[in-house]
PDB file of all heavy atoms in Angstrom:
ATOM      1  N   ASP A  36      -9.510   8.236   3.706  1.00 90.00           N
ATOM      2  CA  ASP A  36      -8.412   8.994   3.102  1.00 90.00           C
ATOM      3  C   ASP A  36      -7.940   8.357   1.803  1.00 90.00           C
ATOM      4  O   ASP A  36      -7.726   9.053   0.808  1.00 90.00           O
ATOM      5  CB  ASP A  36      -7.233   9.117   4.063  1.00 90.00           C
ATOM      6  CG  ASP A  36      -7.521  10.053   5.227  1.00 90.00           C
ATOM      7  OD1 ASP A  36      -8.564  10.732   5.230  1.00 90.00           O
ATOM      8  OD2 ASP A  36      -6.679  10.098   6.147  1.00 90.00           O
ATOM      9  N   CYS A  37      -7.768   7.041   1.787  1.00 89.00           N
ATOM     10  CA  CYS A  37      -7.323   6.358   0.563  1.00 89.00           C
ATOM     11  C   CYS A  37      -8.384   6.451  -0.528  1.00 89.00           C
ATOM     12  O   CYS A  37      -8.056   6.610  -1.705  1.00 89.00           O
ATOM     13  CB  CYS A  37      -6.973   4.901   0.847  1.00 89.00           C
ATOM     14  SG  CYS A  37      -5.397   4.723   1.714  1.00 89.00           S
ATOM     15  N   ARG A  38      -9.634   6.340  -0.153  1.00 91.00           N
ATOM     16  CA  ARG A  38     -10.713   6.462  -1.136  1.00 91.00           C
ATOM     17  C   ARG A  38     -10.722   7.859  -1.752  1.00 91.00           C
ATOM     18  O   ARG A  38     -10.799   8.018  -2.964  1.00 91.00           O
ATOM     19  CB  ARG A  38     -12.062   6.142  -0.487  1.00 91.00           C
ATOM     20  CG  ARG A  38     -12.202   4.674  -0.083  1.00 91.00           C
ATOM     21  CD  ARG A  38     -13.426   4.443   0.777  1.00 91.00           C
ATOM     22  NE  ARG A  38     -14.646   4.729   0.051  1.00 91.00           N
ATOM     23  CZ  ARG A  38     -15.481   3.814  -0.411  1.00 91.00           C
ATOM     24  NH1 ARG A  38     -15.234   2.541  -0.223  1.00 91.00           N
ATOM     25  NH2 ARG A  38     -16.577   4.154  -1.048  1.00 91.00           N
ATOM     26  N   LYS A  39     -10.612   8.881  -0.911  1.00 90.00           N
ATOM     27  CA  LYS A  39     -10.621  10.265  -1.399  1.00 90.00           C
ATOM     28  C   LYS A  39      -9.389  10.550  -2.259  1.00 90.00           C
ATOM     29  O   LYS A  39      -9.488  11.151  -3.321  1.00 90.00           O
ATOM     30  CB  LYS A  39     -10.655  11.254  -0.234  1.00 90.00           C
ATOM     31  CG  LYS A  39     -11.929  11.209   0.563  1.00 90.00           C
ATOM     32  CD  LYS A  39     -12.999  11.999  -0.110  1.00 90.00           C
ATOM     33  CE  LYS A  39     -14.224  12.102   0.790  1.00 90.00           C
ATOM     34  NZ  LYS A  39     -15.269  12.870   0.172  1.00 90.00           N
ATOM     35  N   ALA A  40      -8.207  10.130  -1.789  1.00 87.00           N
ATOM     36  CA  ALA A  40      -6.963  10.411  -2.512  1.00 87.00           C
ATOM     37  C   ALA A  40      -6.903   9.692  -3.856  1.00 87.00           C
ATOM     38  O   ALA A  40      -6.375  10.224  -4.827  1.00 87.00           O
ATOM     39  CB  ALA A  40      -5.754  10.024  -1.662  1.00 87.00           C
ATOM     40  N   SER A  41      -7.457   8.475  -3.921  1.00 88.00           N
ATOM     41  CA  SER A  41      -7.388   7.700  -5.158  1.00 88.00           C
ATOM     42  C   SER A  41      -8.576   7.954  -6.074  1.00 88.00           C
ATOM     43  O   SER A  41      -8.508   7.684  -7.270  1.00 88.00           O
ATOM     44  CB  SER A  41      -7.314   6.199  -4.847  1.00 88.00           C
ATOM     45  OG  SER A  41      -8.546   5.733  -4.329  1.00 88.00           O
ATOM     46  N   GLY A  42      -9.679   8.452  -5.505  1.00 90.00           N
ATOM     47  CA  GLY A  42     -10.897   8.619  -6.298  1.00 90.00           C
ATOM     48  C   GLY A  42     -11.537   7.293  -6.628  1.00 90.00           C
ATOM     49  O   GLY A  42     -12.359   7.186  -7.533  1.00 90.00           O
ATOM     50  N   SER A  43     -11.177   6.263  -5.894  1.00 93.00           N
ATOM     51  CA  SER A  43     -11.676   4.917  -6.136  1.00 93.00           C
ATOM     52  C   SER A  43     -12.212   4.331  -4.836  1.00 93.00           C
ATOM     53  O   SER A  43     -12.118   4.944  -3.778  1.00 93.00           O
ATOM     54  CB  SER A  43     -10.537   4.053  -6.685  1.00 93.00           C
ATOM     55  OG  SER A  43     -11.017   2.767  -7.023  1.00 93.00           O
ATOM     56  N   ALA A  44     -12.752   3.133  -4.905  1.00 93.00           N
ATOM     57  CA  ALA A  44     -13.327   2.478  -3.732  1.00 93.00           C
ATOM     58  C   ALA A  44     -12.265   1.921  -2.783  1.00 93.00           C
ATOM     59  O   ALA A  44     -12.567   1.554  -1.657  1.00 93.00           O
ATOM     60  CB  ALA A  44     -14.256   1.348  -4.169  1.00 93.00           C
ATOM     61  N   PHE A  45     -11.014   1.861  -3.236  1.00 94.00           N
ATOM     62  CA  PHE A  45      -9.913   1.387  -2.401  1.00 94.00           C
ATOM     63  C   PHE A  45      -8.600   1.807  -3.043  1.00 94.00           C
ATOM     64  O   PHE A  45      -8.571   2.277  -4.175  1.00 94.00           O
ATOM     65  CB  PHE A  45      -9.956  -0.138  -2.217  1.00 94.00           C
ATOM     66  CG  PHE A  45      -9.847  -0.907  -3.505  1.00 94.00           C
ATOM     67  CD1 PHE A  45      -8.612  -1.264  -4.039  1.00 94.00           C
ATOM     68  CD2 PHE A  45     -10.994  -1.281  -4.197  1.00 94.00           C
ATOM     69  CE1 PHE A  45      -8.519  -1.968  -5.223  1.00 94.00           C
ATOM     70  CE2 PHE A  45     -10.919  -1.990  -5.379  1.00 94.00           C
ATOM     71  CZ  PHE A  45      -9.673  -2.330  -5.898  1.00 94.00           C
ATOM     72  N   SER A  46      -7.532   1.625  -2.305  1.00 94.00           N
ATOM     73  CA  SER A  46      -6.196   1.894  -2.818  1.00 94.00           C
ATOM     74  C   SER A  46      -5.372   0.620  -2.693  1.00 94.00           C
ATOM     75  O   SER A  46      -5.409  -0.049  -1.661  1.00 94.00           O
ATOM     76  CB  SER A  46      -5.544   3.017  -2.003  1.00 94.00           C
ATOM     77  OG  SER A  46      -4.236   3.265  -2.455  1.00 94.00           O
ATOM     78  N   ALA A  47      -4.651   0.279  -3.747  1.00 95.00           N
ATOM     79  CA  ALA A  47      -3.747  -0.882  -3.731  1.00 95.00           C
ATOM     80  C   ALA A  47      -2.324  -0.342  -3.666  1.00 95.00           C
ATOM     81  O   ALA A  47      -1.947   0.551  -4.427  1.00 95.00           O
ATOM     82  CB  ALA A  47      -3.939  -1.715  -4.992  1.00 95.00           C
ATOM     83  N   PHE A  48      -1.521  -0.879  -2.755  1.00 95.00           N
ATOM     84  CA  PHE A  48      -0.178  -0.356  -2.546  1.00 95.00           C
ATOM     85  C   PHE A  48       0.798  -1.459  -2.165  1.00 95.00           C
ATOM     86  O   PHE A  48       0.400  -2.547  -1.741  1.00 95.00           O
ATOM     87  CB  PHE A  48      -0.196   0.704  -1.436  1.00 95.00           C
ATOM     88  CG  PHE A  48      -0.729   0.159  -0.148  1.00 95.00           C
ATOM     89  CD1 PHE A  48       0.101  -0.459   0.763  1.00 95.00           C
ATOM     90  CD2 PHE A  48      -2.082   0.227   0.135  1.00 95.00           C
ATOM     91  CE1 PHE A  48      -0.406  -0.998   1.944  1.00 95.00           C
ATOM     92  CE2 PHE A  48      -2.603  -0.301   1.303  1.00 95.00           C
ATOM     93  CZ  PHE A  48      -1.749  -0.922   2.205  1.00 95.00           C
TER      94      PHE A  48
END
Side-chain angles (χ1 to χ4, degrees):
D36 289 352
C37 285
R38 292 169 64 106
K39 294 279 187 179
S41 70
S43 184
F45 61 88
S46 178
F48 58 88

